Amino acid sequence: MALIEYREALNQALREEMKRDDRIFIMGEEVGAYNGAFKVTKGLMAEFGGQRVVDSPISELGFVGLGIGASMVGLRPVIEVMTWNFAILAMDQIVNNAAKIRYMSGGQLSCPIVFRGPTGAGTQLSSQHSQMLEAQYAYFPGLTVVTPGTPRDAKGLLKTALRSPDPVVFMESELLYSVKGEVEDGELFIPFGKADIKREGTDVTLICWHRMIYPTLEAAKRLAEQGISCEVVDLRTVRPLDTEAVLKSVRKTHRAVVVEEAWHIASVGGTIVDVIQREAFDDLDA
């Protein structure tokens, strides 16, 4: 085990998989010569060269589309967006091409591609840089949406994403890149759609994902001092959504609170509340 930063865990996953599979290449703004806006791709251009770590123009629609085309002919691109807010410009490519090409081609074509970068609030960012957009991508069939909160989950889920036969939307956070956590040495794969119990409890279920696991765990710690036992469920991926883990916990604690960074209208949290009310309403005590 090693104590490493979130960004370093992502870097390890990229390096290990690029060594294993020469079809993987990285493309995005400042990923190469500058070592990445948030240093996730640090050292990769020096190790793998300019053909596999490609600095793109400031044109999300262009390089996202180029990556999707490359994946359709057998490569495995990793497309870094400097922020998911910028990827709104390329949403048509992600939604109408990457997500749908397997269906539209009758299974003749696939799109093994990873779109990754930070989402949500950051430090001194404007309103156009601070949106939490996981619900928008989770809406569309054909996309897997990954929201890791810890360095271990970031590495294990990214390695799984890099071997996926279909497109993965991988959402990080500017405020998580310097967070440290224990990550075991060697191969690490975490399956999609498998939530993690970050803290066991008996009185109330706190459901969270992405950066919100940290204030949620802090709240659970403070509530424990008042004699309230909280179970913290980290979804890790929002599509697929581990409804089984959520319902199992709610049926144990009989209370639920959803903690999310996004606006509540049309949010992932709204979907979770709907699932609980439909499937476990009689289990709720409050």
Side-chain angles (χ1 to χ4, degrees):
M1 298 287 284
L3 185 66
I4 61 173
E5 290 186 344
Y6 189 100
R7 61 165 60 87
E8 187 178 349
L10 294 169
N11 184 277
Q12 282 185 10
L14 290 167
R15 177 174 280 105
E16 290 170 12
E17 292 301 301
M18 289 179 76
K19 286 180 178 178
R20 183 192 63 84
D21 188 345
D22 61 11
R23 296 173 299 170
I24 297 174
F25 72 95
I26 302 170
M27 182 166 51
E29 297 159 2
E30 300 182 348
V31 296
Y34 189 66
N35 285 310
F38 301 101
K39 308 310 175 193
V40 171
T41 55
K42 184 177 181 179
L44 297 182
M45 176 178 266
E47 183 170 351
F48 296 101
Q51 285 191 316
R52 295 189 66 195
V53 183
V54 183
D55 281 322
S56 71
I58 303 174
S59 176
E60 284 78 13
L61 180 62
F63 65 78
V64 166
L66 194 155
I68 291 169
S71 75
M72 289 165 59
V73 296
L75 297 178
R76 285 186 161 270
V78 178
I79 303 300
E80 177 178 308
V81 291
M82 196 175 291
T83 160
W84 274 101
N85 297 272
F86 297 166
I88 293 172
L89 294 162
M91 199 165 185
D92 178 56
Q93 286 281 4
I94 297 170
V95 166
N96 283 324
N97 292 320
K100 295 182 171 70
I101 194 62
R102 182 184 289 278
Y103 170 74
M104 292 174 66
S105 69
Q108 296 178 79
L109 295 171
S110 63
C111 188
I113 187 170
V114 176
F115 306 101
R116 51 153 297 272
T119 190
T123 303
Q124 294 181 316
L125 297 183
S126 75
S127 58
Q128 296 176 342
H129 294 64
S130 305
Q131 298 159 118
M132 190 71 185
L133 297 169
E134 77 276 41
Q136 282 69 27
Y137 290 94
Y139 176 80
F140 297 101
L143 296 176
T144 294
V145 181
V146 182
T147 52
T150 68
R152 182 182 186 275
D153 290 342
K155 180 176 181 178
L157 287 164
L158 184 54
K159 284 177 71 74
T160 299
L162 290 166
R163 300 195 189 190
S164 172
D166 294 301
V168 176
V169 169
F170 198 95
M171 293 187 155
E172 302 154 13
S173 166
E174 178 186 332
L175 299 178
L176 289 178
Y177 285 127
S178 61
V179 170
K180 290 186 175 182
E182 294 282 351
V183 180
E184 54 261 50
D185 300 322
E187 294 281 58
L188 172 62
F189 296 93
I190 295 172
F192 298 146
K194 187 69 174 176
D196 186 41
I197 306 300
K198 289 292 194 281
R199 180 185 179 116
E200 293 192 357
T202 57
D203 295 333
V204 60
T205 297
L206 307 182
I207 303 153
C208 56
W209 58 97
H210 200 246
R211 190 173 66 87
M212 288 296 100
I213 66 171
Y214 296 98
T216 304
L217 286 168
E218 176 61 25
K221 180 181 176 182
R222 294 189 187 186
L223 287 166
E225 296 170 358
Q226 301 175 35
I228 300 170
S229 175
C230 298
E231 181 147 295
V232 177
V233 179
D234 175 12
L235 296 177
R236 300 199 290 199
T237 65
V238 298
R239 187 178 184 117
L241 187 65
D242 191 353
T243 56
E244 183 179 338
V246 170
L247 293 172
K248 181 180 179 181
S249 180
V250 170
R251 286 169 178 148
K252 179 174 76 170
T253 67
H254 307 293
R255 293 173 175 82
V257 176
V258 180
V259 186
E260 66 179 332
E261 184 175 332
W263 294 306
H264 69 281
I265 293 178
S267 68
V268 173
T271 297
I272 295 165
V273 169
D274 175 61
V275 168
I276 293 170
Q277 292 196 122
R278 281 189 293 111
E279 304 292 336
F281 182 81
D282 290 339
D283 295 285
L284 294 172
D285 287 344

